[in-house]
Amino acid sequence: MDPTIGPPKLPPRWLCYVAAWVLLTAIFASQLYWSGYAQWPTAFWLEAIHWLSWCIVAPLVFWLCTQLYRGEHTWQRYVVGLTLGAIVIATIQPALTECFDFTKNLVRWWLSMADTPPRVFLSGLPLAIAKLAGYNLPVYGVLVLGWHATTYYSELRDRQMKAMQLESLLHQAQLQTLRSQLNPHFLFNALHSLAELVHANPKLAEQLILRLGDLLRQVLRSS
């Protein structure tokens, strides 16, 4: 494998984000279609406007989680913040769905593809909020839990990386300290012994000098 070739580039985050909502649309539209509730175009449109509205609303949920996470971590603050967020999201998401549906019906009426004009704008919003509350609140909870799980994993990975870097720096500092303490004593003792051995056994002294040089080079090169 060529070492100059880096790992494959991942798709942009926004593309993965959109792809996730499109996948949810396809999955739930397939359920509607195979259950006989509606034909595929109708089923896909119903799920598309629903999950497209969540695609728009989800960043608001993530923003709320970010604001709560950055502040004081108390259960009272979280309960109040998440409850108010649930109320707002449970209102905005059906409103967006109603807007998309009203726009579609209005365009069909303008193009003479429908016999009757669309109903009054947002006239069915209160009923939609009540009907979708039992469905939207679990989705809201999943988004909140998913954001916190992702954030916790990211912070844990960063802490592990910083711990590894600090541990590496500590080992280097300990090694340098050990060298500064050990090398002078070792060299003085070795040179003193070699000086005495030069007269008694010159050949052995020459071999030991060469080995001492190799040892010092190896120590200086080691990490």
Side-chain angles (χ1 to χ4, degrees), residues 7-37:
K9 293 184 178 181
L10 297 177
R13 288 186 177 182
W14 67 267
L15 184 59
C16 297
Y17 178 78
V18 173
W21 294 110
V22 172
L23 179 62
L24 286 173
T25 299
I27 292 174
F28 283 91
S30 299
Q31 292 180 351
L32 291 181
Y33 173 72
W34 290 111
S35 64
Y37 179 82

Side-chain angles (χ1 to χ4, degrees), residues 17-128:
Y17 178 78
V18 173
W21 294 110
V22 172
L23 179 62
L24 286 173
T25 299
I27 292 174
F28 283 91
S30 299
Q31 292 180 351
L32 291 181
Y33 173 72
W34 290 111
S35 64
Y37 179 82
Q39 295 297 319
W40 175 253
T42 303
F44 187 83
W45 168 254
L46 292 175
E47 294 299 332
I49 61 174
H50 176 78
W51 292 111
L52 177 59
S53 61
W54 269 112
C55 181
I56 298 173
V57 168
L60 297 178
V61 180
F62 300 150
W63 176 84
L64 174 63
C65 293
T66 302
Q67 300 305 313
L68 293 175
Y69 193 77
R70 288 177 179 175
E72 185 180 2
H73 290 182
T74 59
W75 69 268
Q76 297 93 337
R77 184 169 179 269
Y78 259 84
V79 168
V80 173
L82 293 178
T83 301
L84 292 177
I87 295 173
V88 173
I89 296 302
T91 303
I92 294 178
Q93 190 276 332
L96 288 174
T97 303
E98 289 289 312
C99 289
F100 295 146
D101 194 53
F102 176 81
T103 302
K104 183 202 74 168
N105 293 332
L106 183 62
V107 171
R108 286 172 55 86
W109 183 60
W110 280 348
L111 297 177
S112 299
M113 298 176 63
D115 298 332
T116 59
R119 63 185 181 183
V120 180
F121 183 56
L122 297 182
S123 60
L125 180 59
L127 180 60

Side-chain angles (χ1 to χ4, degrees), residues 194-208:
L194 289 174
E196 295 179 353
L197 191 61
V198 167
H199 301 286
N201 193 340
K203 183 175 293 186
L204 179 59
E206 180 181 359
Q207 294 177 358
L208 292 179

Side-chain angles (χ1 to χ4, degrees), residues 19-20 68 72 91 94 98 133 149 156 160 167-168 184 189-190 193 201 213 222:
L68 293 175
E72 185 180 2
T91 303
E98 289 289 312
L156 178 62
Q160 290 177 345
E167 185 178 1
S168 177
N189 293 334
S193 301
N201 193 340
S222 64

